[in-house]
Amino acid sequence: MAVHLRAGEALRLWQDVAVTETRAGRPDLSLRQAAILLTIYLDPPPHTIRGLAARLNVSKPVITRALDMMGALKLVSRHRDERDRRNVLVKRTVEGALFVERFGDVIIASAREPSAP
């Protein structure tokens, strides 16, 4: 499905979502953390720290720091790959799936009812 927005409309939508999330008082993610989380939930698994770093063109420590925070929020979990103990698999959680779904709902609601400038 193609969505056609002018730059100003796209930015207003992003602002509306950011304001809604800020007002909700839930833990918020940095843009980098959100990109990592959405990659984990929208791209097919398996996900590894090495693979996420390559996909997002960032270092493995950047991914590890983000996963530390998201793990504390129970949005993702990490486990050793039993087939290759050198790899750490990043797995989805129920809490994370609900977080991503709710975030999608906020985007849809903001797109349907944009705020006034």
Side-chain angles (χ1 to χ4, degrees), residues 13 17 102-112:
L13 175 58
V17 171
R102 185 201 46 75
F103 191 69
D105 291 341
V106 169
I107 294 168
I108 291 167
S110 293
R112 288 186 178 146

Side-chain angles (χ1 to χ4, degrees), residues 9 12 16 28 41 46 53 68 82 96:
E9 293 169 327
R12 180 67 65 191
D16 288 346
D28 56 340
Y41 280 87
D68 287 345
E82 293 301 323

Side-chain angles (χ1 to χ4, degrees), residues 7-64:
E9 293 169 327
L11 291 170
R12 180 67 65 191
L13 175 58
W14 192 346
Q15 178 191 30
D16 288 346
V17 171
V19 167
T20 298
E21 287 299 292
T22 300
R23 289 178 179 161
R26 292 182 284 269
D28 56 340
L29 304 178
S30 71
L31 188 57
R32 180 176 284 164
Q33 292 163 342
I36 293 167
L37 186 68
L38 291 173
T39 298
I40 293 166
Y41 280 87
L42 298 178
D43 291 356
H47 299 288
T48 63
I49 292 172
R50 182 182 302 123
L52 290 167
R55 169 86 163 87
L56 296 164
N57 196 30
V58 298
S59 68
K60 290 189 292 186
V62 165
I63 299 296
T64 299

